[in-house]
Amino acid sequence: MPELPEAETLARQLQKTLAGRTVLHVKILRDSVLKSGRAETFEKFLSGRKIEKAARRGKFIVLFFENGCKVWVHLGMTGQLMWDRGVDESHVHAIFEFADGGKLVYRDIRRFGGLVIEKNGEGLTEGIKKLGAEPLEISAEALKSGFGKRKGRIKNLLMNQRILAGLGNIYADESLFRAGIDPRKRPYRLTPEKWAALHRAIRQVLNESIEAGGSSIDDYRHLDGKRGEFQKRHRVYGRAGKPCRSCGAVIRRIVLSGRSTFFCPKCQF
DNA sequence: GAAGGCCTGGAA
DNA sequence: TTCCAGGCCTTC
């Protein structure tokens, strides 16, 4: 599932490929992927416009245009951005055609993702406006205070984009494993040592994954169609029934708020 | 704070 | 044929 490292990987690749290129046309093949704006809006405001840069915010990829417009891309679960790959045309919802002939294809099989166009600061969805802190920038103190006195389980709170923007199921589980924290734990019960460990673990896991080009479990691909490599280094996610890589205990799978949750019953407490 | 719905493809 | 994956929004 595309989370922060996957969005970051794509944003970096898009920066290299798209910065300085000019959009010729924007073809929206399925209007329902537009979370703000309409097909005509995309064409009107973006055609003939140069892309200045590509960046990431939370799990979103943001394209900055010279006229101040921004396009926010959320990949949902199965979203893909491909450069010049016309091979698989199924589930293609939008195509950005460039003046020099290249094209950026947006695919999303399950359609949980979407596109947002921001112009003059307008058009942002509530989800974007209320995005929480960046996990790689937040201080240890702010991480702790960000959870305040919330009563939820730490795993679910880590995935709350309004608190921390960018962690999903995979990296929440992987971070908690490295911090030695039981995903069912309530935040107010964490010791100072565990908070420090969690802050460290989040940075470590995200940075390692970015270095590996993200995790390709099912559909996530790089701009050129290649797979990420970090899934090979997951220590708990998707490893139910297998031995813990640290202690050998059997990794457990439970369901928290309807989401699969993987942890080591011995290393995490 | 928890649960349902969206959506599709692949596995059971 | 049914179930499951889950990000995010809506509803309870």
Side-chain angles (χ1 to χ4, degrees):
Chain A
M1 326 318 134
E3 304 175 28
L4 187 151
E6 290 73 34
E8 178 68 27
T9 299
L10 269 174
R12 290 180 186 183
Q13 295 171 349
L14 288 163
Q15 167 67 20
K16 281 187 192 155
T17 305
L18 299 186
R21 279 194 149 104
T22 300
V23 168
L24 194 62
H25 287 299
V26 183
K27 289 186 177 168
I28 304 296
L29 289 79
R30 184 184 288 273
D31 287 342
S32 64
V33 302
L34 306 182
K35 305 304 174 194
S36 88
R38 298 186 302 152
E40 305 86 72
T41 320
F42 276 72
E43 174 68 11
K44 181 180 164 193
F45 285 93
L46 306 181
S47 62
R49 300 299 180 177
K50 190 156 78 182
I51 292 181
E52 284 180 339
K53 67 167 181 172
R56 176 198 60 75
R57 171 80 173 98
K59 298 178 190 174
F60 289 85
I61 291 158
V62 193
L63 302 178
F64 293 74
F65 287 77
E66 57 173 348
N67 60 348
C69 280
K70 294 174 198 166
V71 171
W72 294 68
V73 183
H74 197 292
L75 298 175
M77 283 190 62
T78 56
Q80 300 174 332
L81 284 171
M82 301 275 202
W83 178 246
D84 258 344
R85 299 209 127 218
V87 191
D88 189 350
E89 294 181 11
S90 61
H91 309 293
V92 171
H93 308 310
I95 302 172
F96 294 78
E97 295 177 345
F98 287 81
D100 57 7
K103 42 179 193 176
L104 179 68
V105 177
Y106 172 69
R107 291 183 75 221
D108 187 0
I109 298 170
R110 271 172 257 185
R111 308 210 295 268
F112 279 18
L115 306 178
V116 165
I117 184 165
E118 174 191 357
K119 47 184 198 305
N120 309 321
E122 290 175 24
L124 289 177
T125 58
E126 286 305 299
I128 294 175
K129 285 184 199 165
K130 293 183 179 166
L131 281 175
E134 281 293 328
L136 290 173
E137 291 168 16
I138 194 170
S139 68
E141 300 73 41
L143 178 70
K144 181 174 187 237
S145 61
F147 289 94
K149 296 188 163 44
R150 302 190 67 134
K151 297 180 170 61
R153 301 181 190 277
I154 188 70
K155 152 88 185 264
N156 296 323
L157 293 168
L158 280 176
M159 294 200 298
N160 184 331
Q161 302 301 298
R162 295 179 184 200
I163 302 176
L164 209 53
L167 296 197
N169 213 23
I170 296 173
Y171 298 102
D173 278 4
E174 292 295 321
S175 297
L176 288 169
F177 172 79
R178 293 203 192 196
I181 299 170
D182 187 311
R184 296 165 293 190
K185 204 99 173 167
R186 313 281 173 179
Y188 52 82
R189 299 200 52 203
L190 293 182
T191 62
E193 292 73 29
K194 291 285 188 185
W195 277 113
L198 180 59
H199 182 254
R200 225 179 306 125
I202 289 170
R203 301 175 68 89
Q204 214 178 63
V205 168
L206 295 179
N207 281 323
E208 278 182 33
S209 181
I210 290 169
E211 203 148 317
S215 304
S216 286
I217 305 277
D218 292 313
D219 302 281
Y220 174 73
R221 295 292 183 277
H222 293 175
L223 196 56
D224 61 5
K226 292 204 183 85
R227 302 172 72 95
E229 298 287 335
F230 195 66
Q231 67 281 3
K232 297 171 185 168
R233 306 228 289 271
H234 291 171
R235 300 194 187 165
V236 285
Y237 184 84
R239 299 194 64 248
K242 293 179 178 159
C244 170
R245 291 189 167 143
S246 293
C247 76
V250 178
I251 299 297
R252 282 191 61 195
R253 174 188 178 274
I254 58 174
V255 175
L256 291 186
S257 285
R259 298 290 172 258
S260 283
T261 298
F262 302 91
F263 69 103
C264 170
K266 210 166 149 194
C267 295
Q268 297 173 254
F269 48 89

